[in-house]
Amino acid sequence: MRRTLIANLRCPATGEALHLEATRLDGDEVLEGRLAADSGRSYAIRDGIASFVDATVLESQTVESFRQKWATHDYYREHTHRFYTDWYLQRYGFLDLAGLRAAMQGVRFALDAGTGAGRDAINLADSSDAVVFAVDTAWDALSNCRRRGQSERVEFLHADIHALPFPDGFLDFVNCDQVIHHTPDPRMAFEALSRKLRRGGDICCYVYRKKAAVREFTDDYVRDKIRALPVKEALKVCEPITKLGRSLASLKITVDVEEDIPLLGIKKGPIDLQRFFHWNVLKCFWNDEFDFFTNNVVNFDWYHPENCHRFEPSEFRAWFAQGWEIQAWDVQEAGISCRARKT
């Protein structure tokens, strides 16, 4: 972590300023040491990453699930970059990287909350002059990112969304994409993020959408069966589901649902057979652009974490009813995306 950025950080418990006690430096980069507050609290820095996560948070099944995920799949960012970057830009109304650059003009400090493989953090840094704080509770995600390289303006922090090491109103831009639904209380996590964003700043946030009735039942059934399994065992259990997705996709068959089935939440119209199963029966993700392991990790990522909240569009939109001006709103089968400005 860079010494020049430490003045911007605060003790997440008390809000106090932090001072550096470094034990290993590389120029401006602090590789080992600790950040200390006058109250006596301190936060270790190791491998260039400051850690603010309370030990009780690390006990969460969901946090441990993602830690093991990122420890297992260390090439996810490169392998999925094009697909997820394009999807991100469309959902939030940026359309392309030029649109993202235009929206990021004037941003000094940005946050990527739940950075995972670091894709969004790097895209934000490459599209702006901002310092981007990439935060995650999964240490392995952050260490993978540092090892695989990143923009010099991305700063990785081991921190919890609910207890961020920034003053209130400090951030100009907050990104929390495909993350907040994995927190114990997503609305509370959203409020915690909002406090750190200045008035006039933008937030990009995505939540899972509630699915058709049979799909919801299957999701909860599978999750209940595998959430206690170690990651390698859970990945093995998911393999037949992923193979089913691959087989259905290879058929390239379109079925025509003649009319809505409201009782089951099934929509009328033509739909690819694999997509019909995926949205209405069970998540059996398959993308020909990804290798088998990555497709399987996408399915595992849905079924294994204990915290996996889903929302109706109206429930999510209510988060922005007061104090926000919506800039972009996108509703898809998978989830709901909103870019909003704090007023």
Side-chain angles (χ1 to χ4, degrees), residues 3-59:
R3 283 187 290 182
T4 51
L5 294 176
I6 291 172
N8 299 302
L9 301 181
R10 297 291 183 271
C11 171
T14 66
E16 296 171 275
L18 299 169
H19 59 269
L20 173 65
E21 298 174 2
T23 56
R24 187 158 70 97
L25 298 168
D26 182 7
D28 185 48
E29 189 80 6
V30 184
L31 300 178
E32 307 287 342
R34 68 172 190 152
L35 297 172
D38 289 341
S39 63
R41 290 179 170 84
S42 65
Y43 305 94
I45 302 172
R46 59 187 176 97
D47 299 328
I49 303 170
S51 179
F52 297 92
V53 179
D54 188 272
T56 58
V57 173
L58 299 178
E59 296 171 1

Side-chain angles (χ1 to χ4, degrees), residues 273-289:
L273 182 62
Q274 189 270 338
R275 294 283 87 188
F276 178 84
F277 267 79
H278 181 82
W279 297 128
N280 297 298
V281 181
L282 79 163
K283 177 159 185 169
C284 51
F285 181 88
W286 183 261
N287 185 329
D288 286 331
E289 193 174 327

Side-chain angles (χ1 to χ4, degrees), residues 75-270:
Y75 63 91
Y76 186 89
R77 182 174 80 203
E78 295 87 348
H79 197 56
T80 65
H81 183 271
R82 188 211 62 79
F83 175 82
Y84 281 117
T85 295
D86 288 351
W87 192 45
Y88 176 93
L89 294 171
Q90 293 299 315
R91 288 184 289 113
Y92 290 113
F94 300 119
L95 304 183
D96 53 27
L97 288 172
L100 178 59
R101 281 193 292 272
M104 292 292 290
Q105 284 186 357
V107 172
R108 295 177 60 235
F109 297 107
L111 171 71
D112 184 26
T115 196
R119 177 191 60 251
D120 290 348
I122 291 171
N123 284 341
L124 293 173
D126 289 346
S127 299
S128 71
D129 295 322
V131 172
V132 180
F133 293 97
V135 168
D136 210 295
T137 53
W139 179 267
D140 294 80
L142 303 172
S143 60
N144 283 347
C145 288
R146 283 198 38 106
R147 186 173 67 254
R148 300 185 78 82
Q150 76 281 341
S151 166
E152 63 180 13
R153 284 181 289 100
V154 174
E155 190 67 50
F156 293 102
L157 297 176
H158 190 220
D160 178 15
I161 289 174
H162 297 87
L164 292 166
F166 309 114
D168 288 354
F170 168 69
L171 298 163
D172 303 299
F173 183 92
V174 170
N175 181 65
C176 189
D177 189 55
Q178 305 179 68
V179 171
I180 207 164
H181 40 238
H182 289 306
T183 62
D185 186 331
R187 184 63 185 270
M188 185 180 295
F190 179 77
E191 296 302 328
L193 289 172
S194 301
R195 285 194 295 273
K196 303 304 176 183
L197 181 66
R198 67 167 176 82
R199 292 188 183 277
D202 285 2
I203 189 170
C204 290
C205 191
Y206 170 99
V207 295
Y208 288 142
R209 185 182 179 186
K210 288 181 180 176
K211 309 297 191 293
V214 176
R215 166 73 194 266
E216 283 287 322
F217 170 81
T218 308
D219 287 348
D220 288 339
Y221 178 84
V222 175
R223 185 171 297 107
D224 185 61
K225 294 296 182 182
I226 76 167
R227 64 186 179 182
L229 296 178
V231 164
K232 288 186 178 180
E233 290 182 37
L235 282 165
K236 192 70 177 175
V237 171
C238 287
E239 286 184 5
I241 296 173
T242 304
K243 290 175 181 176
L244 174 62
R246 180 175 62 186
S247 296
L248 290 171
S250 70
L251 296 174
K252 301 189 184 307
I253 291 174
T254 298
V255 296
D256 188 13
V257 181
E258 294 187 20
E259 60 180 287
D260 288 343
I261 310 175
L263 189 64
L264 297 177
I266 296 174
K267 307 279 180 57
K268 69 178 180 180

